[in-house]
Amino acid sequence: MSCVFGFDVGSRLIGVAVGNRFTGSARGLAAIAVRDGEPDWSRLDALRKEWMPDALVVGLPLTLEGEEQPASKRARRIADKLGQRYNLPIAMTDERYSSQEAAQRFASARAAGLKKKSDAATIDAEAAAVILERWLASETTSH
């Protein structure tokens, strides 16, 4: 009961990360294509089968003032579909600044020679990892 998936929902891609409740760490797994508002379910099904998460965390895009916006509705809709499809608990968590943090991590990894420019697609998965790490940290401090 320690594996958790995190999601960064976008209009064209959904970043997916896997995290561990015991270590509080997360890492990006994949960027899943979205077509006509639907994620690539076969790809998500394969990741779920491989990792068997016991909970799902979806980033909730809010305005800088903390208000919901059109992207919030999309994230909530995807979260509902994930919950129904996999019958797992869903947590929504504030994702403000996660994309910027993911981009900074990517730039640092590139500067260190750990990533190439062609790895840029992994930024969505890295953003999901940032979202998941924040949630894991808040879970640890709330218990």
Side-chain angles (χ1 to χ4, degrees):
M1 296 292 269
S2 66
C3 183
V4 183
F5 270 5
F7 298 90
D8 178 38
V9 177
S11 58
R12 295 178 314 160
L13 291 172
I14 295 176
V16 183
V18 63
N20 183 303
R21 289 181 197 265
F22 298 122
T23 64
S25 63
R27 67 180 179 91
L29 281 182
I32 306 290
V34 176
R35 289 189 182 78
D36 300 320
E38 291 293 321
D40 180 346
W41 288 110
S42 62
R43 185 93 190 278
L44 282 172
D45 291 346
L47 287 172
R48 179 180 178 263
K49 187 176 180 186
E50 179 181 352
W51 291 94
M52 297 303 289
D54 56 42
L56 308 174
V57 177
V58 178
L60 183 63
L62 301 172
T63 66
L64 295 181
E65 295 77 33
E67 303 292 321
E68 295 220 5
Q69 58 179 325
S72 307
K73 190 174 183 179
R74 178 175 46 243
R76 286 190 184 282
R77 189 177 57 75
I78 293 291
D80 288 344
K81 288 184 176 197
L82 287 165
Q84 289 169 11
R85 186 175 188 98
Y86 300 128
N87 195 28
L88 291 170
I90 300 276
M92 301 291 295
T93 190
D94 183 350
E95 70 161 32
R96 281 180 283 181
Y97 305 109
S98 61
S99 295
Q100 294 92 322
E101 186 173 332
Q104 289 170 345
R105 288 184 184 190
F106 180 77
S108 296
R110 273 198 72 198
L114 301 173
K115 299 250 183 205
K116 300 185 287 291
K117 190 174 184 179
S118 60
D119 294 326
T122 63
I123 288 180
D124 293 293
E126 188 65 33
V130 170
I131 290 165
L132 189 50
E133 284 175 355
R134 288 180 186 169
W135 181 82
L136 288 165
S138 71
E139 285 293 288
T140 305
T141 56
S142 66
H143 289 273

